Amino acid sequence: MKGKPTIYDIAKKLNITAATVSRALNNNPRISQATKELVLKTAKDMNYEPNKLALALKKGKSNNIGVVVPYINRNFFSSVIRGIEEELFPKGYNVIISQTHESAEREVDIINNLLNAQVEGIIISLAKFTKNTKHFEQVLKKNIPLIFFDRYQEMGGVSSVTIDDYQGSYDATIHLIEQGCDRIAHLTVDPTLSIYKHRLEGYQQALIDHSIPFREELVVKLKSDMEEGKRVAENLMALENPPNAIFSTSDYGALGAIKWLQTNGYKVPEDVCVVGFSNEPFTQFLDLSMSSVDQVPLEMGKMAAQVFLEQVNDGNNVKIEKKVVLSPSLIIRQSSTKK
Amino acid sequence: MKGKPTIYDIAKKLNITAATVSRALNNNPRISQATKELVLKTAKDMNYEPNKLALALKKGKSNNIGVVVPYINRNFFSSVIRGIEEELFPKGYNVIISQTHESAEREVDIINNLLNAQVEGIIISLAKFTKNTKHFEQVLKKNIPLIFFDRYQEMGGVSSVTIDDYQGSYDATIHLIEQGCDRIAHLTVDPTLSIYKHRLEGYQQALIDHSIPFREELVVKLKSDMEEGKRVAENLMALENPPNAIFSTSDYGALGAIKWLQTNGYKVPEDVCVVGFSNEPFTQFLDLSMSSVDQVPLEMGKMAAQVFLEQVNDGNNVKIEKKVVLSPSLIIRQSSTKK
DNA sequence: TTGTAGGCGTTATCAC
DNA sequence: GTGATAACGCCTACAA
């Protein structure tokens, strides 16, 4: 008996069959209390541990779940993954992670790979440029729960967990208005992506609700990047009627804006209030701490895991399509607090 | 043929046996070119994909590797994991992650779980309070490569990938000395842990090499935390002969120190130079950017993965025990640059 | 060059 | 209650 002990080893020792051992181990009702205890005891003695691979092959279930993100070392994603792992480890699932590097191609490879590995579910935040959804149809065809989080795409049979981007944006804008700002710039990243579209809409609605005219020139598209934020701030302040608040859908853009403002004679928040989005860890450590919309990544991860568990337990039932929308949380700090 | 096609399905279609199909798929030399091509083609047509679980059971190899960290959403750890994944995905390995939450108990559970899942290797950064190593002996007994990174413990048969903490600390201290500082405080976390012990030694050696007397009262132990950093800075500056430089083995401690200094009339770096350790992302975004020792997490992850690959390919050979020590990289920024 | 048969560790379906 | 036996999908001697 070199390697790990199997149910055969323990069967032999007890002079019974492997089948009986298996049943005893699985607490099968029609097995005598005596043998049950005996088996359990010797199993423990021999340091027996079931071979998950065999079980997996037999049942066609691996106890593994795949989590796919663009990059794992972005704070938002790693926090979501943390939430997922914490929810799923106690249930006996192992979390396999993969990174798309924002490449749609690689995303396809990863999905195929996960499928081969017989994962029982896939939780994914789409690569930025994923348009085609063919690879996901395969997943659905196999009745494997597929859950999008944060970045998603409309697709029948797919569940998703997102934050209410509209609400987050609305709240942030209202907050700025309440600080007395009436010329609020909106920095966006790519309004064709749904999350940014919703953020734009929330911003617009807040203006409407306070009878503030919408000015097209105050909406600027830029990459989520500090240098871009500086450039944009410069342009905005050069307008004849410059903004007295900047709401950026990215913390990095907001940071760049603040830096430019401060080094060019503007006071934040007195002259210009600034609010970011994502609540990156650095926002709280700045000398002038930055207000930001928190995307509740931990909750998002836990929620995604829970949705997965529901679907997986629902067996081959009708495909449930669950859309969970979490409330983001506006964190108000110095960059937008006049007092 | 409901589920996934198997080699049997494709065998039936071609009127040959599964064995032949298997061989063709595996490019077995003694198989006719004709059938090989035929099999390959129909396999593709039928959208055949090998079932990794079956393969795993057969070979006793899962193609999975376990990565264990305290918390996945710490920048350092998630960056290491990123490195590991990037190195291992192309080789066909799946990366399973688990978090210990710094609990030694949970660490034991996780190791057992990974063992049951038949992972082919384990890469781990120890929970802070792990003393016992019994659970690791099990891993070694099964001939499964075990690799420690960052936080490790001396153990026969175990490889490790770390940075040269001594060197990093030495470099940082020398840098401070070159800036003209001769009263350098050293903030440590827990000198009983080897990494902090080495950092203390590097600091001391730098002093010796420049004939600067070592002063016990300039070495302070504190938690890696901003508030603690403030408290400690206050105490240090109250000494009769206060420091003109602070080297903290944690960025958070350094940050706290800087904040306290700045709000209490001291100029950084003119009055006091400050250097941190870890190169957390926030250090570069501070108004006064912070110098720090980068722990090259990406390289560390890649290196750990490479060590794993070596061991795993070495079969059941003699246990190789590889100790890789990477060079940290001192990032010099404003907090320590007088000019 | 290809087919046959057995096995990896479990569980499920029959029987007894 | 428990024992045979087959099966999950694949690989690999051993034959032919």
Side-chain angles (χ1 to χ4, degrees):
Chain A
M1 203 197 62
K2 310 223 45 162
K4 296 193 61 164
T6 74
I7 50 173
Y8 278 91
D9 298 319
I10 130 165
K12 201 178 297 169
K13 191 168 222 162
L14 262 42
N15 261 326
I16 53 179
T17 57
T20 308
V21 175
S22 169
R23 284 190 273 252
L25 256 21
N26 289 289
N27 214 347
N28 187 310
R30 46 186 206 184
I31 204 100
S32 83
Q33 195 57 28
T35 37
K36 200 175 284 184
E37 281 170 11
L38 194 59
V39 168
L40 252 41
K41 187 185 174 314
T42 39
K44 190 162 229 169
D45 285 354
M46 300 179 68
N47 236 311
Y48 166 82
E49 297 271 7
N51 181 325
K52 283 199 182 174
L53 289 182
L55 224 159
L57 174 61
K58 180 70 184 160
K59 304 214 164 168
K61 302 241 155 195
S62 63
N63 268 295
N64 288 158
I65 180 171
V67 175
V68 186
V69 297
Y71 292 100
I72 195 197
N73 65 337
R74 290 222 200 117
N75 181 260
F76 173 71
F77 291 125
S78 64
S79 297
V80 173
I81 296 175
R82 170 173 171 175
I84 294 174
E85 197 269 348
E86 289 181 359
E87 199 73 14
L88 256 28
F89 179 79
K91 308 278 185 186
Y93 284 98
N94 286 321
V95 177
I96 293 176
I97 50 150
S98 319
Q99 315 180 79
T100 60
H101 294 188
E102 301 285 15
S103 147
E105 249 178 79
R106 195 165 165 144
E107 187 175 284
V108 174
D109 285 353
I110 288 172
I111 297 293
N112 281 330
N113 173 59
L114 290 175
L115 251 25
N116 297 165
Q118 322 291 124
V119 294
E120 291 186 46
I122 293 180
I123 299 180
I124 180 173
S125 190
L126 293 182
K128 213 172 260 170
F129 306 115
T130 299
K131 296 289 176 231
N132 201 317
T133 58
K134 213 181 215 164
H135 48 307
F136 293 126
E137 275 154 25
Q138 269 197 58
V139 179
L140 295 181
K141 206 173 292 170
K142 297 192 180 172
N143 234 305
I144 294 178
L146 176 61
I147 295 133
F148 290 158
F149 72 89
D150 194 47
R151 303 209 203 132
Y152 66 101
Q153 211 162 20
E154 284 308 335
M155 244 189 104
V158 177
S159 292
S160 64
V161 180
T162 53
I163 57 159
D164 189 336
D165 284 288
Y166 173 92
Q167 187 68 42
S169 189
Y170 182 86
D171 290 350
T173 310
I174 292 291
H175 161 66
L176 287 169
I177 293 171
E178 284 172 350
Q179 294 293 311
C181 306
D182 54 359
R183 304 189 304 278
I184 305 173
H186 179 78
L187 312 196
T188 181
V189 172
D190 181 352
T192 69
L193 293 183
S194 58
I195 58 175
Y196 296 109
K197 190 165 142 270
H198 295 154
R199 291 180 196 176
L200 179 56
E201 290 166 355
Y203 159 78
Q204 290 174 313
Q205 188 60 48
L207 296 186
I208 291 173
D209 289 354
H210 281 73
S211 313
I212 297 178
F214 173 74
R215 292 166 52 198
E216 190 113 41
E217 77 268 27
L218 290 185
V219 175
V220 188
K221 179 180 161 182
L222 71 164
K223 276 190 293 188
S224 169
D225 165 305
M226 192 170 92
E227 292 310 317
E228 287 267 287
K230 289 184 183 173
R231 184 181 59 72
V232 167
E234 181 167 13
N235 292 342
L236 282 171
M237 298 316 284
L239 292 175
E240 21 181 335
N241 192 11
N244 51 15
I246 296 180
F247 170 41
S248 168
T249 55
S250 126
D251 281 334
Y252 294 95
L255 177 64
I258 290 178
K259 297 247 179 198
W260 187 89
L261 289 168
Q262 288 178 331
T263 54
N264 286 275
Y266 295 94
K267 287 207 165 152
V268 181
E270 292 78 1
D271 300 333
V272 185
C273 285
V274 179
V275 175
F277 210 109
S278 285
N279 197 25
E280 292 285 342
F282 75 78
T283 54
Q284 63 179 303
F285 296 129
L286 298 171
D287 289 330
L288 181 85
S289 62
M290 186 197 292
S291 301
S292 190
V293 178
D294 188 81
Q295 297 176 284
V296 293
L298 227 63
E299 286 85 339
M300 193 178 283
K302 292 192 185 221
M303 207 56 218
Q306 282 168 24
V307 171
F308 158 71
L309 289 172
E310 278 177 33
Q311 324 243 105
V312 101
N313 290 334
D314 240 17
N316 324 31
N317 263 4
V318 203
K319 222 145 257 150
I320 18 171
E321 194 183 307
K322 191 156 184 177
K323 307 286 186 193
V324 177
V325 179
L326 301 173
S327 291
S329 157
L330 176 62
I331 311 287
I332 299 175
R333 299 202 184 92
Q334 296 169 351
S335 69
S336 68
T337 313
K338 299 182 185 174
K339 51 167 184 283
Chain B
M1 204 198 63
K2 311 224 42 163
K4 296 192 63 166
T6 74
I7 50 173
Y8 279 91
D9 298 321
I10 130 167
K12 202 178 296 168
K13 189 168 224 163
L14 262 41
N15 261 327
I16 53 180
T17 55
T20 307
V21 175
S22 170
R23 285 191 271 253
L25 257 19
N26 288 291
N27 214 348
N28 187 309
R30 48 188 206 182
I31 205 98
S32 82
Q33 196 56 31
T35 36
K36 200 176 281 185
E37 281 169 10
L38 194 59
V39 167
L40 253 41
K41 187 185 174 318
T42 38
K44 190 162 231 171
D45 286 353
M46 300 179 69
N47 235 309
Y48 168 81
E49 297 273 5
N51 181 327
K52 284 200 180 174
L53 289 181
L55 224 159
L57 175 59
K58 176 70 186 163
K59 304 215 163 167
K61 302 240 155 197
S62 63
N63 269 293
N64 289 158
I65 181 172
V67 175
V68 187
V69 297
Y71 292 100
I72 194 198
N73 65 335
R74 290 222 200 116
N75 182 261
F76 172 73
F77 292 124
S78 65
S79 298
V80 173
I81 295 176
R82 170 172 169 176
I84 294 175
E85 196 269 348
E86 288 179 0
E87 198 73 14
L88 256 28
F89 179 79
K91 307 278 184 186
Y93 284 97
N94 286 321
V95 176
I96 294 176
I97 49 148
S98 318
Q99 316 179 77
T100 61
H101 294 187
E102 300 285 15
S103 146
E105 251 178 76
R106 194 163 164 144
E107 189 176 281
V108 175
D109 285 353
I110 288 172
I111 296 293
N112 281 329
N113 174 58
L114 290 174
L115 251 25
N116 297 164
Q118 322 291 126
V119 293
E120 291 187 45
I122 295 180
I123 299 180
I124 179 173
S125 190
L126 293 182
K128 211 172 263 171
F129 306 115
T130 299
K131 296 289 176 230
N132 201 317
T133 59
K134 213 181 214 162
H135 47 307
F136 293 126
E137 276 154 25
Q138 269 197 60
V139 179
L140 295 180
K141 207 173 291 170
K142 297 193 179 170
N143 234 304
I144 294 177
L146 176 60
I147 295 132
F148 290 157
F149 73 89
D150 193 48
R151 302 207 203 136
Y152 66 102
Q153 209 160 22
E154 284 308 336
M155 242 189 105
V158 178
S159 292
S160 65
V161 180
T162 53
I163 58 160
D164 189 336
D165 285 287
Y166 173 93
Q167 187 68 43
S169 190
Y170 182 87
D171 291 349
T173 309
I174 291 290
H175 161 66
L176 288 169
I177 294 172
E178 284 171 349
Q179 293 293 311
C181 306
D182 54 358
R183 304 189 305 277
I184 305 172
H186 179 78
L187 312 197
T188 181
V189 172
D190 181 351
T192 69
L193 293 183
S194 59
I195 57 177
Y196 296 108
K197 191 165 140 269
H198 295 153
R199 292 179 196 175
L200 179 57
E201 290 166 356
Y203 158 78
Q204 290 175 314
Q205 189 60 48
L207 295 185
I208 291 173
D209 290 354
H210 282 73
S211 313
I212 297 179
F214 172 75
R215 292 166 53 199
E216 190 112 41
E217 77 268 28
L218 290 185
V219 175
V220 189
K221 180 181 161 184
L222 72 163
K223 277 189 295 190
S224 169
D225 165 303
M226 191 170 93
E227 292 310 317
E228 287 267 289
K230 290 184 184 173
R231 185 181 58 73
V232 167
E234 181 168 12
N235 291 342
L236 282 171
M237 299 315 284
L239 291 174
E240 20 181 337
N241 192 9
N244 51 15
I246 296 180
F247 170 41
S248 167
T249 55
S250 128
D251 281 334
Y252 294 95
L255 177 64
I258 290 180
K259 297 248 178 197
W260 186 88
L261 289 168
Q262 288 178 330
T263 53
N264 285 275
Y266 294 94
K267 287 206 164 154
V268 181
E270 292 79 2
D271 300 333
V272 184
C273 286
V274 179
V275 174
F277 209 110
S278 284
N279 196 23
E280 292 284 343
F282 75 77
T283 55
Q284 64 178 303
F285 295 130
L286 298 171
D287 290 313
L288 181 85
S289 62
M290 186 197 293
S291 301
S292 190
V293 178
D294 189 80
Q295 297 177 282
V296 294
L298 229 62
E299 287 84 339
M300 193 177 284
K302 292 191 185 218
M303 207 55 219
Q306 282 168 23
V307 171
F308 159 70
L309 289 172
E310 278 177 33
Q311 322 245 104
V312 101
N313 291 335
D314 239 17
N316 324 32
N317 263 5
V318 203
K319 221 144 258 149
I320 18 172
E321 195 183 307
K322 191 157 187 177
K323 307 287 185 191
V324 178
V325 180
L326 301 173
S327 290
S329 157
L330 176 63
I331 312 287
I332 298 175
R333 300 202 184 90
Q334 297 169 349
S335 69
S336 68
T337 313
K338 299 181 183 175
K339 47 160 187 290

